[in-house]
Amino acid sequence: MDISAEAVLSEPLDTSANIPLRVAVYSRIMNAIRGGHFPVSSILPSESDLGSAMKVSRTVVREALMLLEEDGYVRSRRGIGRFVATRLPRVGLERIRPMEEILAEAGTDVQVSRTTHVLHPSSSVFTAEPLGIREEDPSWFFESIIRRDGAPIALVQEHVASKSRLMDSAPEAAQAITEDIRKESTLLANLIAAVGPSFGPGETDIAAGTPGVARGELLDLDAKSPVLILTQTVEHSGRICYLAKTIVNTGTVQISIIQGA
């Protein structure tokens, strides 16, 4: 096994929030595949070697590999072993992921720049109702522009309540919100890094629309240009704690929604 792959696999598995061990192993191997530690079409280490690297049983590894095969990451060849698929499946909106990660699916780097980080009254039903707060209650507002090759391709506007279970139970998340310690990432990316798999589930509504004057200027678009509008909510501890609206320039970006057979 490649040294870099073994190093990635040997890191402690995240089994918080009652995540089944097979799912944690699935995620670890999938991330190693997507990270290039197991190149496309290459043969995977044996179940025993994978189990030894992650300190889990062969049974757990086998269950994780079966899931990976179902999802198109792995192919089996009788009498030889398991191989990484020749073409990896694209990941769309079926998982909670930062918008910069979704927009980078094509293999082109994107950059995030923060334009606003402020605590202010919620001031609208759009913000207050989903977050379960009153319109006069304060909430944190983050605005970021995602660029590709210097050109703006998406505007991300994120909201979190100033008082919530998330703020009370996750100090790292509270720091990410109040201090905005990583301005080169969206708030969602920072919250996922702070909270981990317990951040969720979520829901995203998709609609076609126009950016309007103010948002259009930030995206270098005419106010009536067609855009994709994604409205997302994410839960933590059974309550919605995160709300975002993302305006995507449909002339430069494609977003996939993965559907099963």
Side-chain angles (χ1 to χ4, degrees):
M1 188 187 307
D2 181 85
I3 295 176
S4 64
E6 187 170 5
V8 169
L9 294 178
S10 62
E11 294 179 1
L13 292 168
D14 189 347
T15 55
S16 60
N18 297 318
I19 295 175
L21 192 55
R22 67 180 182 278
V23 175
V25 171
Y26 167 99
S27 296
R28 178 60 51 81
I29 298 174
M30 181 196 68
N31 289 334
I33 291 173
R34 284 202 168 274
H37 300 287
F38 296 130
V40 294
S41 302
S42 66
I43 189 168
L44 286 172
S46 67
E47 293 176 359
S48 297
D49 287 345
L50 288 170
S52 296
M54 291 181 281
K55 296 180 174 57
V56 297
S57 69
R58 286 184 60 186
T59 300
V60 171
V61 172
R62 188 178 300 117
E63 291 174 349
L65 289 171
M66 290 172 63
L67 293 173
L68 287 163
E69 192 165 352
E70 290 175 0
D71 288 350
Y73 287 96
V74 171
R75 295 287 182 266
S76 294
R77 296 182 188 175
R78 181 170 295 184
I80 302 178
R82 290 186 176 90
F83 291 76
V84 178
T86 55
R87 183 178 179 182
L88 299 183
R90 294 182 65 182
V91 183
L93 294 172
E94 76 282 5
R95 283 173 43 212
I96 298 172
R97 297 193 303 157
M99 186 54 61
E100 60 264 41
E101 184 179 321
I102 294 173
L103 296 181
E105 278 293 294
T108 306
D109 288 338
V110 298
Q111 303 80 41
V112 176
S113 59
R114 186 89 71 244
T115 60
T116 306
H117 167 237
V118 64
L119 179 67
H120 64 178
S122 300
S123 73
S124 73
V125 175
F126 168 78
T127 304
E129 188 173 317
L131 294 177
I133 59 178
R134 298 173 301 175
E135 291 186 36
E136 61 268 24
D137 289 339
S139 63
W140 287 99
F141 173 67
F142 293 71
E143 183 177 77
S144 307
I145 297 175
I146 300 178
R147 291 182 170 86
R148 176 182 290 153
D149 297 327
I153 58 174
L155 174 68
V156 185
Q157 298 177 324
E158 303 168 287
H159 308 261
V160 289
S162 62
K163 296 181 179 180
S164 65
R165 292 181 186 176
L166 175 65
M167 296 282 282
D168 294 338
S169 63
E172 291 184 5
Q175 184 182 24
I177 293 168
T178 58
E179 299 180 22
D180 194 18
I181 53 178
R182 291 179 58 208
K183 295 179 175 61
E184 71 282 2
S185 304
T186 58
L187 173 62
L188 181 57
N190 295 336
L191 291 178
I192 291 173
V195 181
S198 63
F199 193 53
E203 182 176 326
T204 299
D205 294 326
I206 305 173
T210 57
V213 175
R215 291 169 176 159
E217 288 179 355
L218 291 171
L219 289 171
D220 291 342
L221 290 174
D222 182 82
K224 295 183 179 180
S225 297
V227 295
L228 205 59
I229 302 174
L230 286 70
T231 304
Q232 182 180 30
T233 56
V234 181
E235 297 180 13
H236 178 68
S237 300
R239 296 187 63 179
I240 292 175
C241 65
Y242 170 91
L243 170 68
K245 178 171 286 189
T246 300
I247 314 298
V248 179
N249 181 351
T250 55
T252 58
V253 173
Q254 289 183 336
I255 295 179
S256 297
I257 301 176
I258 309 303
Q259 296 178 314

